[in-house]
Amino acid sequence: MNRWTQVDPLMVNQGEMVLHTLLERGFQAFFVGGCVRDELMGRPVHDMDIATSAKPEDVVAVFERTVPTGIEHGTVTVLMDDYAFEVTTFRKESQYEDHRRPASVEFVDAVNEDLLRRDFTMNAIARDIDGALIDPYGGQSDIKRGLIRCVGAAEERFEEDALRMLRAVRFASVFGFRPAKSLWKALLRGKDKLSYIAMERVRTELEKVVLGPRPLRGLALLERSGLLRHVKAALPEAVAGDAEPERQSQARLTRQLLAAAPRRELLTALPELPPEPQALRWSLLLQALGTGGEDVIPLMKRWTFPNKAAEETAAIVRFDEAWRRAGAEERDAASLRRRWVVLQVTLGQTAAACWLGRQAAVLAAAPLSEAQRIAERERLDLARRWHGEVRAHALSELAVSGKDVLELTGQKGGPWLGELMKQLLLSVAAGEVHNDKQALLEYVKAGLDVAWKQTD
């Protein structure tokens, strides 16, 4: 018996209990899809899907705890003690609507027919309770060859669900595989069908490319294919073309992508950044493709990103733009430090910290001379020190309130008070005055005295 090696033993135990329960009642049952693929590839398995000849109502009757996840398409989630397993009846699918979803499904009795409806050969492998594999379409061989190949005719698979074209690029990127020639040709012919796909689904695939282990590989394939020109909301492009990737090495494809990017030095650093926080890679990619800070939020919203993700990404881009201007405009360290403090307070401590981490990756990847690298590292070390020296980031952290200032001055509130409090925050943040109530009130009074004398 071949044992699972990439799965939590408790998950395996409970998954096999599901299979045993179905088998004991006369049904067929297999592990299928990603769990089998990842086990063969030596990748960690995070969930285990099951295919069975049992109808959805049979599955509900057999197990005590179930959820009708997609019962109209044959899927029932079986809840065991610690894990949930999606159990789906063997099925084949009818004509697809809008290149997205089947108009109806038909339950069948054979696992081979169920595997035929799947997208790629590596995802069309079943595994029985004893570890034997059912692989009618050559998935194991394609995994060994590092090949992304459709089950059956690629044109038909993409006609059924156009998102599979982006999934093919995503798998090629994440796994380091190459698309089969037949798949690539069908992708180029059918890419206009992506206009039918919801942006949420497109974004999910793009996220997995950008945040994956080989983002430049995936981006180069996306650019060469032109797929993103056909989705509902365009992304800035660097290069374009329809050449077969087999005719150009991956290194050449990546060089073309880098050469055409407005800020090549940023794109080169993309693989060096961790995937979390996600705003790190997204800010770098969008800037590399020429997107300005003011355009980031509108673009990411069109791509259905959550507001928080868009705002965090935009803050890093705006920080980089403003800091580059400061470096060009300021000539002494004191003035530059003051600009850093203003930026960190205005755009946030998190944006500043993210920029520092991002910039370290950019410098590591940049083609600099040794003297240039030393000078840039010294400037980055200086910025890191200033980052740690900022004493306050919000008005709520001040030892005085607007009410305290009004009592001191005897004046009525107004816009002047807001501006004064902001200036007070910056003075505290820069270490120009201690964050102590008495010291702050004296600082305010001294400033007002000077202002009043100037108006006399």
Side-chain angles (χ1 to χ4, degrees):
M1 178 183 291
N2 296 319
R3 303 303 305 171
W4 294 88
T5 62
Q6 302 298 317
V7 196
D8 184 327
L10 184 58
M11 184 191 293
V12 172
N13 179 263
Q14 294 182 3
E16 290 181 343
M17 286 176 60
V18 175
L19 261 63
H20 275 301
T21 301
L22 291 167
L23 293 169
E24 287 170 355
R25 285 159 176 78
F27 301 113
Q28 300 175 63
F30 302 88
F31 293 111
V32 292
C35 64
V36 181
R37 176 200 69 216
D38 288 345
E39 175 69 24
L40 290 171
M41 293 176 64
R43 291 168 49 88
V45 173
H46 302 293
D47 52 63
M48 304 178 81
D49 291 340
I50 294 168
T52 180
S53 61
K55 302 295 189 293
E57 58 270 22
D58 298 323
V59 176
V60 171
V62 166
F63 296 96
E64 292 183 4
R65 299 169 59 217
T66 61
V67 178
T69 313
I71 201 162
E72 68 279 6
H73 293 122
T75 300
V76 175
T77 299
V78 174
L79 304 175
M80 303 299 284
D81 290 343
D82 300 281
Y83 291 95
F85 301 88
E86 284 197 357
V87 179
T88 302
T89 304
F90 298 156
R91 72 191 193 197
K92 64 180 181 180
E93 296 164 344
S94 67
Q95 186 68 33
Y96 278 62
E97 296 178 342
D98 296 332
H99 312 289
R100 292 183 295 173
R101 53 182 177 268
S104 63
V105 299
E106 179 184 341
F107 298 140
V108 295
D109 296 322
V111 67
N112 283 18
E113 194 168 3
D114 180 79
L115 295 175
L116 180 60
R117 70 178 174 82
R118 297 175 185 270
D119 51 6
F120 308 115
T121 57
M122 63 180 180
N123 295 331
I125 308 172
R127 175 179 172 131
D128 70 15
I129 191 70
D130 296 319
L133 298 179
I134 297 88
D135 181 19
Y137 308 110
Q140 294 178 85
S141 173
D142 287 341
I143 288 173
K144 290 177 182 177
R145 295 159 62 197
L147 192 67
I148 309 291
R149 186 166 61 87
C150 287
V151 176
E155 290 86 351
E156 294 179 12
R157 300 291 80 79
F158 297 155
E159 180 74 22
E160 292 166 351
D161 185 354
L163 188 72
R164 287 169 173 168
M165 292 181 275
L166 285 176
R167 283 169 56 83
V169 171
R170 187 247 294 183
F171 284 130
S173 174
V174 172
F175 297 155
F177 285 10
R178 70 185 189 281
K181 289 184 179 180
S182 59
L183 181 152
W184 191 256
K185 289 177 180 177
L187 180 152
L188 295 180
R189 288 194 292 266
K191 56 190 175 184
D192 61 303
K193 298 179 180 69
L194 278 171
S195 62
Y196 291 92
I197 304 301
M199 282 307 304
E200 291 86 351
R201 298 181 73 202
V202 172
R203 171 177 57 82
T204 296
E205 295 302 322
L206 186 60
E207 281 183 302
K208 291 175 181 177
V209 169
V210 172
L211 303 177
R214 302 172 188 85
L216 295 183
R217 178 183 180 85
L219 290 169
L221 288 172
L222 286 172
E223 291 292 344
R224 291 304 300 172
S225 67
L227 285 175
L228 294 183
R229 295 184 221 143
H230 296 273
V231 300
K232 293 181 177 180
L235 188 74
E237 294 181 287
V239 296
D242 291 342
E244 293 181 14
E246 292 84 357
R247 294 181 182 175
Q248 299 191 42
S249 70
Q250 184 56 50
R252 183 179 174 188
L253 287 173
T254 302
R255 284 198 300 272
Q256 289 177 334
L257 176 74
L258 293 172
R263 291 191 62 187
R264 171 179 177 168
E265 81 282 4
L266 294 181
L267 200 56
T268 305
L270 192 63
E272 308 304 320
L273 290 172
E276 296 291 340
Q278 296 184 16
L280 279 175
R281 287 198 182 185
W282 282 111
S283 67
L284 199 71
L285 173 60
L286 292 178
Q287 272 191 282
L289 297 181
T291 305
E294 296 305 312
D295 298 323
V296 169
I297 291 178
L299 186 150
M300 294 187 75
K301 285 187 175 180
R302 288 197 300 272
W303 275 73
T304 72
F305 280 88
N307 289 339
K308 182 179 179 183
E311 290 165 0
E312 290 174 348
T313 303
I316 299 172
V317 174
R318 289 199 297 266
F319 194 101
D320 181 77
E321 291 173 339
W323 186 239
R324 282 157 56 90
R325 288 194 300 270
E329 295 168 358
E330 304 297 348
R331 290 292 177 264
D332 62 89
S335 298
L336 198 56
R337 179 182 182 277
R338 177 74 180 189
R339 290 283 286 271
W340 177 277
V341 171
V342 171
L343 276 177
Q344 183 164 322
V345 171
T346 304
L347 294 174
Q349 187 175 17
T350 299
C354 285
W355 182 87
L356 287 167
R358 205 189 78 163
Q359 190 63 12
V362 170
L363 291 182
L368 302 174
S369 68
E370 187 60 26
Q372 289 174 319
R373 195 172 302 281
I374 290 172
E376 290 297 331
R377 284 176 178 168
E378 288 177 350
R379 280 191 281 270
L380 186 59
D381 288 341
L382 197 59
R384 286 195 184 104
R385 192 181 81 197
W386 293 340
H387 173 67
E389 291 175 350
V390 176
R391 308 293 175 82
H393 293 85
L395 293 176
S396 59
E397 298 176 45
L398 294 180
V400 296
S401 65
K403 181 180 178 182
D404 295 326
V405 174
L406 291 177
E407 290 178 355
L408 173 69
T409 62
Q411 297 185 52
K412 292 182 179 180
W416 69 271
L417 179 60
E419 289 301 316
L420 177 60
M421 295 301 292
K422 288 179 185 177
Q423 291 303 315
L424 201 56
L425 173 61
L426 291 175
S427 296
V428 169
E432 296 166 355
V433 60
H434 291 296
N435 194 12
D436 169 81
K437 184 174 182 178
Q438 189 59 39
L440 289 172
L441 290 176
E442 290 177 0
Y443 188 81
V444 170
K445 188 176 185 301
L448 291 174
D449 286 345
V450 171
W452 288 338
K453 287 178 181 179
Q454 291 175 344
T455 59
D456 288 342

